[in-house]
Structures are given as C-alpha cells and as structure tokens.
Amino acid sequence: MVRYYDYHLPKDEVLNECRKILLSLDYDIDMYEPESYALTTKSIRVRRTLRKYDYVVYLQVSDKIEIHIAAKRSIFTSCLLYTSPSPRDRG
C-alpha cells in the first residue's frame, strides 16, 4: 500500500516529525537517512483476530510525503511445547 501526503514544513522537520510519530506507535527505526529524507522501520508484528502480520514502513519525503507499508502474513507462531516423558524414558 502506498499513500501520499502534502506538507508545509521544511523536509528535515517533516522527516523528524514522522519519525516521532512512528516511535510513539511502537515502531523501531531500522534506517534513518536525513541526507536522503527517508526512513525505514524494523518489522513489527500486529495481531488482528486470528491472523498475524509483520509490517514494515518505508517513508520518503520529496515534493510529497510518500509512505509505503508492506505487510507479510506470518506463518510461524511461537509457542511453548511441553511433552511428558514417554514410558520408555521413565526407566
């Protein structure tokens, strides 16, 4: 998904404000590139009902704020597996 937004501040201020917003939403910044006015977040897991997705946000500030959101369905779930000893393991 890609979204575009207008802005009326200097590019560096816009990038910094976007970074603050993403941090407030519990995203971790993976790459912050003020010289190219871009940032990328680390993958974050968002759980909605029974489906789990990993999201990454890429943001570029040019004549507009361009936001790319990539979502990948996670097929792996973490779980704690407990197995009782089998009769042959009990001695």
Side-chain angles (χ1 to χ4, degrees):
M1 174 171 65
V2 179
R3 295 281 192 244
Y4 299 93
Y5 299 95
D6 293 322
Y7 63 92
H8 304 288
L9 296 170
K11 283 184 181 182
D12 58 336
E13 289 182 31
V14 171
L15 184 63
N16 193 40
E17 285 300 314
C18 291
R19 183 180 67 81
K20 288 180 188 176
I21 291 168
L22 288 169
L23 290 172
S24 73
L25 295 171
D26 293 331
Y27 282 89
D28 291 325
I29 305 301
D30 188 28
M31 292 186 296
Y32 183 71
E33 303 169 2
E35 62 281 349
S36 60
Y37 304 105
L39 67 81
T40 305
T41 65
K42 292 182 179 179
S43 180
I44 186 172
R45 179 157 297 166
V46 177
R47 185 180 174 133
R48 301 263 187 220
T49 62
L50 298 177
R51 296 182 180 168
K52 291 185 179 181
Y53 292 91
D54 295 330
Y55 289 90
V56 173
V57 176
Y58 170 77
L59 187 137
Q60 172 77 48
V61 180
S62 55
D63 57 333
K64 293 186 181 281
I65 302 170
E66 183 176 329
I67 301 174
H68 297 257
I69 301 174
K72 181 178 178 183
R73 185 165 181 199
S74 177
I75 59 172
F76 298 104
T77 58
S78 59
C79 65
L80 180 61
L81 180 62
Y82 173 78
T83 57
S84 58
S86 68
R88 70 172 178 242
D89 293 335
R90 294 183 192 158

